[in-house]
Amino acid sequence: ATAVPFISSMQPSAKAQAAGGPVEVDIGRLAPGELMVIEWRRKPVWILRRTQEELDNLAKVSADALRDPESTQSEQPTYATNAQRSFKPEYLVLLGVCTHLGCSPQLRPQVGDLDADWQGGFLCPCHGGRYDLAGRVYKGVPPPLNLPVPPHKYLTDTRLVIGEDQETA
Ligand code: FES
């Protein structure tokens, strides 16, 4: 089995956690393929830097295979640099809690017998919930909804704030 590259977070301050306030994260060390997990409001928030291959595979996921193909992916905000907005499609920010009964889905599980629609993603060990690498749930599995996207915004290309929405330009 291939180990999932994992970076534990710099711990946000205890005060910020207790208040459920925004948590600022440095994503500058996150290499392609790596997952960072931070805690926000006592829940795990995933920050995944998808590889180019994963982004290519994501484009192959058929909308017909998904329960709600339109949401999540489009909710990832842009980030602002020098007053210009650009899109960082490789970063995915999700609440890491299955929308069925709250288990913790696994990233890049070893799967052998999933159907041809499977292009990699997250698998929930409890009842087989499957999500693609945009957090969108497949049809035919128990979770009713896509993985939620917590409010977040980019301060720069390496600083991210969880718990605050991106201002609209
Ligand atoms: Fe995830 Fe049931 S809790 S599939």
Side-chain angles (χ1 to χ4, degrees):
T2 23
V4 173
F6 176 84
I7 295 184
S8 65
S9 69
M10 307 114 272
Q11 280 303 307
S13 77
K15 196 173 159 193
Q17 283 189 36
V23 177
E24 193 171 324
V25 187
D26 180 357
I27 56 172
R29 293 183 304 144
L30 209 54
E34 285 184 328
L35 174 72
M36 177 186 281
V37 181
I38 65 143
E39 186 181 307
W40 176 68
R41 297 193 175 170
R42 304 189 194 289
K43 291 190 175 141
V45 170
W46 296 336
I47 304 161
L48 174 65
R49 186 170 178 185
R50 296 171 290 195
T51 64
Q52 188 55 51
E53 184 185 2
E54 287 174 334
L55 291 169
D56 293 344
N57 286 342
L58 186 58
K60 295 179 202 159
V61 176
S62 158
D64 290 344
L66 301 170
R67 183 162 288 148
D68 179 12
E70 295 306 319
S71 67
T72 300
Q73 206 178 4
S74 58
E75 291 169 16
Q76 301 292 318
T78 55
Y79 78 107
T81 304
N82 297 333
Q84 282 201 328
R85 285 176 185 277
S86 43
F87 186 49
K88 298 279 277 185
E90 66 265 45
Y91 292 104
L92 177 71
V93 181
L94 292 172
L95 220 52
V97 179
C98 183
T99 62
H100 182 219
L101 294 176
C103 290
S104 182
Q106 295 164 350
L107 173 61
R108 302 188 192 101
Q110 298 292 305
V111 288
D113 55 355
L114 293 177
D115 58 52
D117 287 321
W118 176 253
Q119 297 290 342
F122 305 94
L123 181 69
C124 183
C126 290
H127 314 98
R130 281 188 281 142
Y131 304 89
D132 73 1
L133 277 171
R136 299 175 301 180
V137 68
Y138 279 82
K139 287 177 183 167
V141 289
L145 298 169
N146 295 338
L147 290 171
V149 178
H152 63 286
K153 69 176 182 183
Y154 293 90
L155 302 176
T156 68
D157 55 355
T158 60
R159 307 289 303 176
L160 179 61
V161 176
I162 309 294
E164 283 181 8
D165 278 315
Q166 188 83 43
E167 301 87 12
T168 44

